[in-house]
Amino acid sequence: MMSTDPDAERKAWMSLLAKCRAPDLKRLWSAYGATPGHSILRAPEVGSVMVRGRSGAVGSAFNLGEMTITRCSVKLETGEDGHAYVQGRDPDKALHCALVDALMQSTASASVRAIILDPLQELAQARQQARASKAAATKVDFFTMVRGED
Amino acid sequence: MYVAVKGGERAIDNAHAWLAEERRGDTAVAELSVAQIREQLKLAVNRVMAEGSLYDADLAALAIKQSRGDLIEAIFLIRAYRTTLPRFGASVPVATDDMACDRRVSATFKDAPGGQVLGPTFDYTHRLLDFKLAAEGKAPQAPEARAETASTPHIMSFLDREGLVQQEDASDATPPDLTREPLELPADRALRLQSLTRGDEGFVLGMAYSTQRGYARNHAFVAELRIGTVPVEMEIPELGFAIEIGDIEVTECETVNQFKGSKTEPPQFTRGYGLVFGMSERKAISMALVDRALRWKELGEDNVGAPAQDEEFVLYHADNIQATGFLEHIKLPHYVDFQSELELIRKLRREAMPTQEAAE
């Protein structure tokens, strides 16, 4: 199903970047090659976000606790703005994520997707799949021993 | 007369230097890395994140190393660090329905859609010391099975559909935040849940246990306990839309409780709720039981005077950093205070025992 949300694609890549592992991104960023010319709009800044839950899972919001986050904004020489809000306290990761976000809006988007985003997506899926498979192996199969009405 | 004094700088510096040496322990034994703590003492890390109220496993592991494994001291370090961080905003409430579950069990429905998934649990182990762990061995590997892509809906939603369970008021209003405004009573449920989720595990467990033993009994069934990862979504001001900013592991417990009805509510099941950072099962169940006990007023139940029903008692004593701060300060110099006590007791004794004093 195609999404009608015009921001859906950007939302997806920004989310993928925010949740990726810093060493993976570092490796893929080096594989991408030269850092494009850019200026820093906001240098990497570490802060927190208050994570909320819902009372009874479906009710009103409450404050669960904070998480660390790093944000960063850049402008490419070609004019595109890139933003990053990423989990953790890694300034390099935030900077690279902001650059990738900017590049994805530029003419370089196809190669950035192939060299950086697609591998990140595969890694994320593989990690999730590995955990899901282990969980599946601990699923209980019940079998009836004696029926009460006999 | 008391004369104010200062001093002790050298003694303090040397004490801290010795602390550093003792922290390292025997140098013939390899030093523990922060990454080792993060990976291999994960449940301690989880507790420090939950009660430190900051989700960052590396920081929690560092705090555990610095505190020599004193988890309350580690929580203190995290709370102190947290206050130095600028807050960029608040997340959209996490959707625990979409959790990628490592574990998901129900004590109420055997055949729950999605199944009973045990996950990496201590349950059903024999609690016998495993001396094999004292020797270095090969890294163990867990078996795998084909994972289904079917969703795992909340078990409570089935009771909800039948109308057998009390409804939750869903509002997106900004909840009160006890890290920004002092905790004032009466507290609404949002404030109680925030207080409980960062409260001391031992205290919340004790309070929950008291309800099971009969002090405001509310007979809880664990309708569902799930542990897994949920994405955290936040509106990005520069963009005008929300993105996922991270993944967090949480434990969620929903209890279903008997309720005979009251003047205001028909007979139905009621809910208790626990949601805690990390894999923190004991804490999440405890939180749900105490949450339920504290709801007596909104459900029109009787206050039987049980400790777990007493909002002021529970909320003002659940925080181990507040508690330990006040408790431990009494070991610090109180020379002036005590001098006045000493003089008072001497005076009272002189008045009470004039003949004896005179005789001496």
Side-chain angles (χ1 to χ4, degrees), chain A residues 11 15 18-19 42 47-48 50 52 54-56 60-61 63 66 68 85 87 89 131 133 135 138-140 142, chain B residues 53 55-56 82 86-89 91 94 102 116 118-119 145 169 172 176 194 233 238 242 244-247 273:
Chain A
K11 182 173 165 163
S15 302
K19 301 193 292 180
R42 174 159 57 204
S48 78
M50 176 55 90
R52 290 191 176 141
R54 288 193 181 279
S55 38
S60 304
N63 292 308
E66 285 161 88
T68 52
Y85 277 76
Q87 185 164 22
R89 292 166 293 111
R131 282 202 89 77
S133 304
T138 68
K139 191 167 167 178
V140 180
F142 290 104
Chain B
S53 204
Y55 196 98
D56 187 314
R82 190 203 65 82
R87 191 184 286 178
F88 297 159
S91 82
V94 291
D102 284 351
Q116 308 264 355
L118 299 181
D169 301 324
D172 280 326
Q194 183 184 15
E233 220 179 335
E238 296 90 328
E244 290 173 8
I245 53 169
D247 273 329
Y273 189 65

Side-chain angles (χ1 to χ4, degrees), chain A residues 1 3 9 20 23 33-34 42 58-61 63 73 75 82 98 100-101 106 115 126 132 137 149:
Chain A
M1 193 184 81
S3 172
E9 265 198 272
C20 77
R42 174 159 57 204
V58 292
S60 304
N63 292 308
S73 298
K75 190 178 205 65
V100 172
D101 179 47
S106 75
I115 298 169
E149 64 266 33

Side-chain angles (χ1 to χ4, degrees), chain A residues 5 7-8 10-12 14-19 42 45-73 83-89 93 101 128-144, chain B residues 53-56 58-59 81-82 85-91 93-94 96 101-102 110 114-119 142-148 154 168-172 174-177 189-190 193-194 197 232-234 236 238-239 241-247 252 254 271 273 275 277:
Chain A
D5 180 358
D7 303 317
R10 188 167 182 204
K11 182 173 165 163
M14 289 187 78
S15 302
L16 176 65
L17 289 165
K19 301 193 292 180
R42 174 159 57 204
E45 180 188 13
V46 177
S48 78
V49 165
M50 176 55 90
V51 181
R52 290 191 176 141
R54 288 193 181 279
S55 38
V58 292
S60 304
F62 72 96
N63 292 308
L64 178 62
E66 285 161 88
M67 64 185 274
T68 52
I69 187 165
T70 307
R71 64 180 176 187
C72 176
S73 298
H83 300 290
Y85 277 76
V86 304
Q87 185 164 22
R89 292 166 293 111
K93 177 181 166 182
D101 179 47
Q128 203 188 347
Q129 190 59 40
R131 282 202 89 77
S133 304
K134 285 171 195 169
T138 68
K139 191 167 167 178
V140 180
D141 295 319
F142 290 104
F143 44 91
T144 306
Chain B
S53 204
L54 184 66
Y55 196 98
D56 187 314
D58 290 299
L59 284 178
Y81 176 85
R82 190 203 65 82
L85 293 174
R87 191 184 286 178
F88 297 159
S91 82
V94 291
T96 51
C101 295
D102 284 351
K110 177 169 72 68
Q116 308 264 355
V117 175
L118 299 181
E144 299 191 2
R146 205 174 62 79
E148 287 160 39
H154 275 116
E168 294 283 359
D169 301 324
S171 115
D172 280 326
T174 303
D177 183 354
R189 192 167 175 218
L193 290 171
Q194 183 184 15
T197 193
V232 179
E233 220 179 335
M234 184 173 83
I236 304 300
E238 296 90 328
L239 302 176
F241 57 85
I243 65 163
E244 290 173 8
I245 53 169
D247 273 329
E252 181 184 54
E254 288 182 278
R271 313 167 190 247
Y273 189 65
L275 185 67
F277 280 159

